[in-house]
Amino acid sequence: MSVQLIPVAADEADVRLDRWFRRRWPAVSQGRLEKLLRTGQVRVDGRRAKAGQRLEAGQVVRIPPLPADPEDHADAMPARSAAPAIRPDDEAMILESILYRDDDVIVLNKPPGLAVQGGTNTKVHVDALLDVLRFDSRERPRLVHRLDKDTSGILVLARSARSASALASSFRSRAARKIYWALVVGYPNPSRGSIRAPVAKVPVAGVEKMEVNVEEGQAARTEFAVLDKAGRCVTWLHLEPLTGRTHQLRVHCAYLGTPILGDGKYGGAEAHIQGEGISRKLHLHARALRIPHPSGRGELTIQAPLPRHMASSFEAFGFDEKDVADPFAVLPETTRKKK
């Protein structure tokens, strides 16, 4: 293995360096990491760092060859077993999800239910399939942002360290516009506005769940607008997050009193509606992205078709995605920048 330069994604801001590291290399012990930091082998933006240092989006972390060298084997956890061979069905699935590819980026339409990174009992995820997406590149594609496992839609991969740094910087500086579509239960009042509600992690062991917490939460802001409604039962929402907190859109929609359809985690039983053609899956889709191209030449604008379960629900409620020709025109740039 060679030295890796990994950019910090926008939704990883304010995470401790040691926690960020252990999420990716759980086989390396805290003691081993401390030694790598003391000897300058792990650096942030080229500078020596400490385990408790809070990371900022767009920073680049230098990672030496891992797992541990033989002389340090005593303080390292056993290395994970070799990754299982990629199944043909999974390879076909990730290749079919490609929306766009050039020398610098690959854009996927991530299927719902596919995790971006691994975890307990999660063997199939985007990170494990990145070698399938090498094509003619000497470098393995890099993740520069994330989507929840159950959220579908646009996921951008960088094909080089240079592109990864540029893309992460765009996400951090809000130069990127991310548009989500959601079906929510109920009708928001007002029908357009800005949700400004700090988000914090709920202290529940073994469960990743967030909540609005004015005193301890991190600032979070989401712009929203109603696109259509089916009576007062279900509403089609345009959502644009201006921050990137974990589960932000799901928490904010529930806080608005209109949980996302299928989101039992934040909406409970009220998030499910019975009816022919209406899925119990999460109805949240990363629909469109506009971002400066990492090459410095122009912009990259991508739209992702709806996943099958959302297309079925759109039909059941009488919504037509063709009614919104330009997702970026729903909330103009001037509206987004209002304080």
Side-chain angles (χ1 to χ4, degrees):
M1 296 179 63
S2 59
V3 170
Q4 300 179 67
L5 299 175
I6 301 178
V8 177
D11 59 358
E12 295 175 317
D14 204 40
V15 174
R16 285 171 54 109
L17 174 58
D18 54 356
R19 293 177 183 171
W20 180 93
F21 187 97
R22 294 291 294 280
R23 288 177 184 174
R24 289 163 172 74
W25 295 279
V28 177
S29 69
Q30 184 72 17
R32 171 59 176 156
L33 173 58
E34 294 281 1
K35 183 171 183 179
L36 292 173
L37 289 165
R38 286 196 306 272
T39 56
Q41 295 182 68
V42 172
R43 292 174 175 257
V44 177
D45 283 347
R47 300 183 180 89
R48 289 178 178 268
K50 295 183 178 180
Q53 176 177 326
R54 297 282 178 174
L55 296 173
E56 298 178 8
Q59 289 184 319
V60 177
V61 184
R62 179 193 187 275
I63 304 297
L66 297 171
D69 295 328
E71 64 177 330
D72 302 306
H73 189 270
D75 69 350
M77 294 173 63
R80 288 175 290 178
S81 58
I86 296 173
R87 299 183 305 174
D89 286 351
D90 295 330
E91 180 175 356
M93 174 270 295
I94 203 68
L95 291 173
E96 289 172 1
S97 72
I98 296 173
L99 291 172
Y100 175 84
R101 171 166 67 98
D102 63 22
D103 292 340
D104 299 290
V105 299
I106 295 173
V107 182
L108 306 178
N109 185 8
K110 188 189 79 65
L114 176 65
V116 172
Q117 293 177 301
T120 305
N121 299 323
T122 302
K123 295 181 180 179
V124 179
H125 46 87
V126 175
D127 194 31
L129 298 171
L130 291 179
D131 283 322
V132 175
L133 302 173
R134 278 181 182 266
F135 299 107
D136 56 348
S137 176
R138 296 179 59 185
E139 298 185 59
R140 190 174 190 255
R142 294 165 166 81
L143 297 166
V144 292
H145 69 126
R146 294 181 293 176
L147 291 177
D148 291 348
K149 178 180 178 180
D150 295 321
T151 301
S152 59
I154 292 174
L155 182 70
V156 181
L157 307 176
R159 302 193 69 190
S160 67
R162 178 188 58 78
S163 294
S165 180
L167 289 167
S169 178
S170 293
F171 280 115
R172 175 184 58 183
S173 66
R174 296 187 188 174
R177 286 193 69 182
K178 298 179 288 182
I179 307 299
Y180 289 75
W181 282 357
L183 296 188
V184 300
V185 179
Y187 188 83
N189 184 19
S191 61
R192 173 186 293 240
S194 180
I195 307 168
R196 300 167 186 254
V199 174
K201 182 175 291 187
V202 178
V204 179
V207 178
E208 185 179 43
K209 190 172 182 179
M210 312 299 287
E211 67 178 0
V212 170
N213 188 319
V214 176
E215 295 183 354
E216 299 181 7
Q218 293 181 304
R221 177 182 169 190
T222 302
E223 303 293 301
F224 73 95
V226 169
L227 297 176
D228 203 351
K229 62 178 181 176
R232 301 190 71 82
C233 173
V234 170
T235 301
W236 172 15
L237 276 189
H238 166 112
L239 298 166
E240 186 169 356
L242 302 189
T243 51
R245 308 306 177 197
T246 300
H247 297 177
Q248 176 177 318
L249 299 181
R250 298 167 66 180
V251 173
H252 275 180
C253 284
Y255 179 72
L256 199 62
T258 53
I260 296 176
L261 182 63
D263 191 4
K265 186 169 190 173
Y266 290 101
E270 294 181 4
H272 298 291
I273 292 179
Q274 301 296 324
E276 185 176 354
I278 303 172
S279 172
R280 291 179 64 86
K281 293 181 179 179
L282 184 72
H283 287 65
L284 179 61
H285 179 64
R287 170 64 173 181
L289 174 73
R290 178 177 292 161
I291 191 170
H293 197 282
S295 67
R297 299 188 298 272
E299 288 186 324
L300 179 63
T301 302
I302 297 287
Q303 293 190 39
L306 291 171
R308 185 176 304 173
H309 77 281
M310 284 189 66
S312 176
S313 294
F314 265 53
E315 182 177 357
F317 292 114
F319 299 145
D320 187 352
E321 61 179 296
K322 295 179 182 177
D323 290 342
V324 185
D326 180 6
F328 300 99
V330 175
L331 292 175
E333 190 72 20
T334 52
T335 300
R336 295 176 65 246
K337 290 183 178 179
K338 285 183 181 179
K339 299 298 184 181

